[in-house]
Amino acid sequence: QMIWPAGAIAAAIGAALTFFLGRRHPVAAGALSILAMLAALAAIVVQGAAYDRLSFWFALLIAGVGGLNLCHSIGYMRHGHAHGRYYFLFLAMIGGLLGMAGSNDLFNFFAFWEIMSSWTLFFLIIHEETPEALREGFKYFVFNFIGASVMFLGIAMLGARAGGFGFDQLRAAAPGMDLPWLAGALVLILLGLVMKAAMLPVRIDYQMHPAAAPTPVSGYISSVLLKSGLYGVLKLFAVLGGGVLFARLGTVTDVSLPLYVLAVVAAVTVLYAGAQAMIQTGVKRVLIYATVCQLGYILLGLSLGSAMGVAGGLMHLVNHMLLKDTLFLAAGCILAQAHIVDLDDLGGLGRKMPWTMGMFLFAGLSIAGMPPLNGFASKWMIFQACLQSGHYLLGLAALMGSLFTLAAILKFAHAAFMGETTKASASMTEAPASMLVPMGVLVGASLLVGFFPGLLLVPIADIQRSLGLDAVAVSWMGPLPGLGGWSNGPVALLLLIIAAAGWLYTQMGGSKVRASSVHLCGNDFDLKQGKMNVSGFYETPDGLIRTILAASADEGSAEHV
């Protein structure tokens, strides 16, 4: 039977109430959805002893980020439709995630997984009811059906041999199971989980469904929901006793073959998705491909298996939640005012939306790994773990992925916020407080983590110990672990002093403006708009990447023939 944790019950009750209230009072329905998330947070804290450490912190992040995105939805959905359906599905999806995090057996885990990933997410993807949304919804339906079926088969195999689905039963029965049966069941479950994490580097464009959903939902899918696959992998590792399990499967002393294969898949995903993000021109597609790239970093850190790698992967999981959600909510501030698909339709928004621009740039530079921001901290740990384990090519892939991400973010920022105002952006204004406040909370949390990484690393070390893994040596106010003891706080203070000195110097020098002629240098530049077309950015690497991807596609077609 299904056992509902209190947090999932709070979300389910909120979903039912907002469905009826949203028909006539959409703003009140949005406010009620936030109250439901606050109730869920309180329930998780009260029932904290019923969770393991990994599930407890994941549940808090699910409800916390969910509440912020629902608050953002109040402003985003001002000109939307079917508010009752929207809030109902959003809360039901979050309830499924909370139920999954609070499950004590594989049956409930899978049942709540289906609530989260099947009908709720499907109807949110097709919420706009456009041809694109319906097409992406159909693709998601097929993709999710395959992944869920594969995972269910693996779960059924484990339950049949263990005599039940309870985590304690599975942990006790796993050492005595036939090795081929156990290995086959694990491969099927892991395949279903990794598919949800979007870690298949071949034709990953089939998994771009979140772009069709309303932007707050797209942001939540990218920042939180896609992490459910990685969470499931860690949960399965803990349930089945990872060390004993790997010993039975014939792992080597340092890095097991399965983990090394996952690390290579993650590195390929980082490069492929990062390159795709750099050449995209769609507003959401840039961010979604960048999301898949960052998921590759998380899986890479976890796959290395070392204390530094696992801690870096888990830290980047949380950093990505904060930063990528900020990026999506910033995009939502734009898309709520006009139905824009391509970045070429935007321009000059920095003067009209300075707060949105500032928070977008902060999150973008941080997720690209710019020191001393929080995104740098987790990437630095993953990079160190690659070098310490002797996987230099994986470290190089991680470094290249950061360059791709930085290029994609700068292209987006230049196209949307700089240059002359376009026709589409002429009437846009700064977003309302209901949209800016959630972004401000995410940025504030990111700043705290950047200055004091121990706020994340101390709980992460506790999670590592609970999983039976080696834990990193960290303290609440101390520097990052590893060689050199890098500390973001002093570096940030030094940079602030330099920035303040530079600002004072410019103020003392006056505000003279010198006009100069425009040199086009052969680029595709629209003088009327005063901005370069997006396709003109990184022209040479853009063409090279497109040529390589096209050649790969042609080779794949030839193989099928």
Side-chain angles (χ1 to χ4, degrees):
Q1 63 179 15
M2 289 189 66
I3 301 174
W4 288 69
I9 292 174
I13 293 174
L17 294 176
T18 54
F19 177 75
F20 296 103
L21 187 60
R23 294 184 175 184
R24 295 188 177 182
H25 306 284
V27 175
L32 181 59
S33 69
I34 299 172
L35 291 176
M37 283 298 95
L38 292 175
L41 279 170
I44 294 166
V45 173
V46 170
Q47 286 192 326
Y51 293 83
D52 58 73
R53 292 298 85 192
L54 174 66
S55 300
F56 176 76
W57 290 110
F58 189 57
L60 285 180
L61 290 169
I62 290 169
V65 177
L68 294 175
N69 283 45
L70 286 164
C71 179
H72 188 275
S73 296
I74 296 175
Y76 183 86
M77 294 295 290
R78 281 183 304 174
H79 305 295
H81 68 286
H83 297 85
R85 182 182 72 191
Y86 172 83
Y87 287 114
F88 168 77
L89 292 170
F90 205 158
L91 281 167
M93 181 179 71
I94 295 173
L97 278 167
L98 291 174
M100 183 189 70
S103 297
N104 289 315
D105 60 76
L106 272 185
F107 172 80
N108 277 278
F109 182 93
F110 182 78
F112 283 110
W113 174 280
E114 283 300 284
I115 291 176
M116 171 270 296
S117 67
S118 291
W119 58 273
T120 54
L121 185 50
F122 169 75
F123 282 113
L124 282 169
I125 290 174
I126 66 171
H127 178 80
E128 300 294 347
E129 302 173 20
T130 62
E132 179 194 5
L134 295 173
R135 182 177 64 253
E136 293 300 318
F138 176 76
K139 285 165 54 179
Y140 173 78
F141 177 83
V142 174
F143 189 81
N144 184 72
F145 177 81
I146 296 172
S149 299
V150 168
M151 187 166 70
F152 177 77
L153 181 58
I155 290 173
M157 290 173 65
L158 281 182
R161 290 299 172 91
F165 297 99
F167 290 156
D168 293 336
Q169 288 177 285
L170 293 171
R171 187 179 294 109
M177 287 187 191
D178 295 335
L179 189 57
W181 186 276
L182 176 62
L186 288 177
V187 168
L188 292 173
I189 296 174
L190 290 175
L191 181 59
L193 292 171
V194 173
M195 286 174 72
K196 179 58 67 179
M199 285 295 104
L200 301 179
V202 180
R203 293 311 304 271
I204 204 166
D205 54 310
Y206 282 143
Q207 304 179 52
M208 293 295 103
H209 331 295
T215 306
V217 176
S218 298
Y220 193 77
I221 295 171
S222 297
S223 61
V224 179
L225 189 140
L226 288 179
K227 308 297 193 305
S228 61
L230 298 171
Y231 162 78
V233 172
L234 286 173
K235 185 76 172 180
L236 190 65
F237 176 89
V239 166
L240 297 180
V244 176
L245 180 64
F246 281 159
R248 286 206 66 206
L249 294 176
T251 57
V252 296
T253 303
D254 295 325
V255 179
S256 67
L257 180 61
L259 285 179
Y260 183 71
V261 171
L262 280 179
V264 172
V265 169
V268 172
T269 302
V270 166
L271 293 175
Y272 180 88
Q276 284 280 19
M278 194 183 81
I279 65 175
Q280 297 301 310
T281 61
V283 174
K284 286 189 182 182
R285 291 184 73 86
V286 171
L287 300 180
I288 291 174
Y289 271 112
T291 290
V292 178
C293 175
Q294 302 310 310
L295 290 175
Y297 278 101
I298 299 169
L299 185 62
L300 176 59
L302 297 178
S303 301
L304 292 172
S306 63
M308 180 74 74
V310 173
L314 290 176
M315 186 181 188
H316 199 64
L317 184 149
V318 180
N319 283 337
H320 183 256
M321 282 189 182
L322 301 174
L323 299 170
K324 186 48 63 71
D325 202 36
T326 303
L327 293 173
F328 266 99
L329 296 187
C333 293
I334 298 171
L335 299 178
Q337 302 182 57
H339 183 66
I340 301 297
V341 175
D342 201 274
L343 285 170
D344 278 328
D345 297 326
L346 297 173
L349 288 177
R351 294 183 294 275
K352 293 175 171 292
M353 308 174 71
W355 287 103
T356 300
M357 176 185 176
M359 287 187 274
F360 180 93
L361 282 175
F362 169 86
L365 294 176
S366 182
I367 207 167
M370 293 292 289
L373 305 178
N374 60 318
F376 167 79
S378 51
K379 284 192 171 184
W380 176 245
M381 292 176 64
I382 295 171
F383 184 71
Q384 279 195 91
C386 289
L387 298 184
Q388 289 174 2
S389 61
H391 295 94
Y392 304 113
L393 290 179
L394 297 182
L396 181 61
L399 183 61
M400 287 296 298
S402 286
L403 295 177
F404 284 141
T405 302
L406 179 62
I409 292 299
L410 292 179
K411 180 174 75 171
F412 189 114
H414 190 282
F417 296 107
M418 301 175 192
E420 292 299 319
T421 304
T422 62
K423 181 179 178 181
S425 59
S427 60
M428 293 187 185
T429 59
E430 186 59 275
S434 64
M435 304 178 80
L436 291 177
V437 169
M439 295 163 58
V441 172
L442 292 168
V443 168
S446 300
L447 281 170
L448 280 176
V449 172
F451 292 149
F452 309 108
L455 294 176
L456 281 184
L457 288 174
V458 170
I460 285 171
D462 187 33
I463 291 173
Q464 287 179 295
R465 285 187 286 269
S466 71
L467 294 175
L469 302 172
D470 294 333
V472 289
V474 290
S475 61
W476 289 105
M477 307 299 290
L480 293 172
L483 297 176
W486 174 278
S487 181
N488 278 347
V491 176
L493 181 60
L494 178 62
L495 291 177
L496 286 174
I497 293 173
I498 295 174
W503 179 80
L504 287 173
Y505 177 79
T506 58
Q507 294 301 304
M508 293 171 62
S511 58
K512 296 180 180 179
V513 177
R514 285 184 284 181
S516 62
S517 58
V518 178
H519 298 277
L520 302 182
C521 301
N523 287 305
D524 182 14
F525 195 89
D526 189 341
L527 287 174
K528 294 182 180 179
Q529 292 187 4
K531 63 190 291 287
M532 181 184 294
N533 291 332
V534 177
S535 57
F537 279 79
Y538 321 123
E539 187 172 358
T540 299
D542 184 288
L544 177 62
I545 291 171
R546 292 183 185 276
T547 300
I548 293 174
L549 293 177
S552 300
D554 291 341
E555 289 177 5
S557 300
E559 290 176 1
H560 287 299
V561 173

